[in-house]
Amino acid sequence: MKKIKSFTIDHTILPPGLYYGGSNGDVDTFDLRMKKPNTAFLSIPAMHAIEHLFATYARSQWGDAIIYFGPMGCQTGFYLLTRGLTQAQVIALVRETIAFIAQYDGPIPGAAEAECGNYRNHDLPGARRECEQYLDVIRNWTTELLIYPQRQG
């Protein structure tokens, strides 16, 4: 099998941040890396709450420009797929949405039994804590920082 691009990133040197994963036609992929791989991970309930809140808020604010938002299986972050946005707009979108979640104190959208396949498995306080920490990481993020780090030498 051909190795997919995300498996070519050196996870031993990847710090938390926001990275541009590339383009597939008109769809751009971004890596919201909230945890340093192989050293820390997000809890599933916090991830689940972030997923519901981010997807709902971002689609409400940015409409059809949001193609997909979902968790990484390794529990270190999320993938965001967009269409028609500049990289600067994506940084602003992520910063705005993460700040929203960090302060959110209400019902989690789509978290009722009829709406969610694991509706009991949400942790809003955990999601807020994770987003507060991630907001500190991306607060001053720029388009120049969207490039994955490379091993020196």
Side-chain angles (χ1 to χ4, degrees):
M1 291 186 288
K2 181 180 175 187
K3 189 179 274 194
I4 62 172
K5 183 174 181 178
S6 63
F7 294 160
T8 66
I9 306 306
D10 187 344
H11 286 64
T12 65
I13 62 168
L14 184 60
L18 176 59
Y19 303 101
Y20 176 63
S23 178
N24 186 358
D26 65 340
V27 176
D28 293 311
T29 300
F30 293 86
D31 172 340
L32 283 69
R33 191 65 59 156
M34 297 178 83
K35 299 291 185 181
K36 182 172 176 28
N38 300 305
T39 63
F41 60 91
L42 299 160
S43 75
I44 296 295
M47 284 185 82
H48 197 186
I50 292 168
E51 176 195 16
H52 278 239
L53 286 162
F54 192 108
T56 302
Y57 182 85
R59 286 184 179 125
S60 295
Q61 300 300 311
W62 297 83
D64 292 339
I66 307 302
I67 305 302
Y68 172 77
F69 179 78
M72 296 176 181
C74 62
Q75 296 173 244
T76 61
F78 297 86
Y79 291 114
L80 171 64
L81 279 63
T82 66
R83 177 183 288 130
L85 298 177
T86 66
Q87 291 181 348
Q89 286 175 311
V90 171
I91 292 169
L93 173 162
V94 170
R95 196 177 290 128
E96 174 186 324
T97 306
I98 293 296
F100 168 79
I101 298 169
Q103 299 299 314
Y104 186 76
D105 189 27
I108 296 172
E113 184 175 12
E115 302 167 324
C116 179
N118 197 0
Y119 77 100
R120 291 184 190 101
N121 196 27
H122 292 272
D123 176 9
L124 181 57
R128 285 196 308 252
R129 277 191 307 275
E130 295 293 355
C131 287
E132 287 169 8
Q133 291 172 9
Y134 187 58
L135 189 57
D136 286 341
V137 171
I138 63 166
R139 188 173 311 281
N140 297 310
W141 213 257
T142 65
T143 56
E144 292 78 22
L145 297 172
L146 289 171
I147 298 169
Y148 284 107
Q150 301 292 314
R151 186 173 295 284
Q152 301 298 316

